[in-house]
């Protein structure tokens, strides 16, 4: 194992490991929520856990060919609409999501997180893998936005 080295640009410790990892934590609806973002050479992994659980895995390919031809005629997202997930992204549950409510909520989170990553870097083509371990199968609007904001802090 190689020791950490300081980057000459900004004195942030870097390692020779293949994945860059960032973490954030906060309370969502009174429950400690941990978010971890790991950037591998072939995939991006985001985990959101509450109470140490991780029960659902979803992937969202960002390398889909350009959005459909009809997307170019839709107005660009502005204001509140900019918070909507990109319509060409298709989340797929890999594991978990035992109930319809959990499956739907998981796919909503996955599409929103993938959209956030794609909007931060439009050239990004890796698949995003999201691991969820939420205590509840539903989320209020405020809880949803607070969770997405935690993810944003990791990007």
């Amino acid at each position: 194992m190689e020791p950490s080295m300081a980057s000459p640009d900004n004195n942030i410790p870097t390692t020779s490991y293949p994945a860059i990892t960032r973490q954030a934590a906060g309370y969502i609806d009174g429950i400690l929520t941990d978010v971890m973002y790991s950037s591998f050479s072939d995939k991006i992994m985001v985990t959101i856990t509450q109470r140490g659980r991780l029960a659902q895995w979803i992937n969202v390919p960002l390398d889909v060919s350009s959005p459909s031809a009809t997307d170019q005629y839709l107005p660009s997202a502005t204001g509140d609409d900019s918070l909507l997930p990109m319509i060409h992204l298709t989340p797929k549950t890999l594991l978990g999501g035992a109930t319809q409510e959990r499956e739907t909520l998981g796919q909503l989170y996955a599409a929103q997180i993938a959209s956030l990553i794609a909007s931060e870097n439009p050239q990004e083509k890796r698949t995003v893998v999201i691991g969820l371990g939420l205590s509840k199968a539903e989320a209020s609007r405020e809880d949803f936005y607070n969770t997405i904001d935690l993810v944003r802090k990791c990007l």
Side-chain angles (χ1 to χ4, degrees):
M1 186 184 314
E2 282 187 29
S4 294
M5 299 173 281
S7 168
D9 299 339
N10 50 18
N11 286 337
I12 296 174
T14 60
T15 63
S16 60
Y17 292 101
I20 296 169
T21 302
R22 297 184 193 107
Q23 294 179 299
Y27 285 89
I28 308 290
D29 196 26
I31 302 168
L32 180 62
T33 305
D34 295 300
V35 174
M36 184 174 69
Y37 169 94
S38 296
S39 178
F40 295 91
S41 62
D42 61 340
K43 291 187 179 37
I44 296 171
M45 183 177 73
V46 177
T47 59
I48 303 170
T49 62
Q50 292 180 324
R51 297 186 172 128
R53 67 182 272 158
L54 197 54
Q56 186 176 10
W57 289 93
I58 301 164
N59 79 343
V60 185
L62 296 181
D63 67 349
V64 291
S65 56
S66 63
S68 70
T70 58
D71 291 348
Q72 63 185 328
Y73 300 109
L74 295 174
S76 61
T78 58
D80 286 342
D81 289 343
S82 66
L83 300 175
L84 294 173
M86 295 175 177
I87 60 174
H88 68 279
L89 298 176
T90 54
K92 179 182 177 188
T93 300
L94 301 174
L95 297 168
T99 65
Q100 186 63 41
E101 293 83 12
R102 284 202 182 275
E103 176 110 11
T104 301
L105 183 63
Q107 290 193 358
L108 176 62
Y109 273 110
Q112 187 65 46
I113 292 166
S115 292
L116 182 62
I117 291 169
S119 66
E120 292 280 325
N121 181 4
Q123 303 307 316
E124 183 62 68
K125 299 299 178 206
R126 293 176 285 176
T127 295
V128 179
V129 179
I130 294 106
L132 294 173
L134 304 174
S135 295
K136 299 177 184 176
E138 71 280 335
S140 70
R141 175 180 277 192
E142 181 180 355
D143 293 346
F144 180 80
Y145 288 138
N146 289 339
T147 303
I148 296 301
D149 192 47
L150 271 180
V151 172
R152 182 172 302 173
K153 291 177 182 178
C154 293
L155 299 182

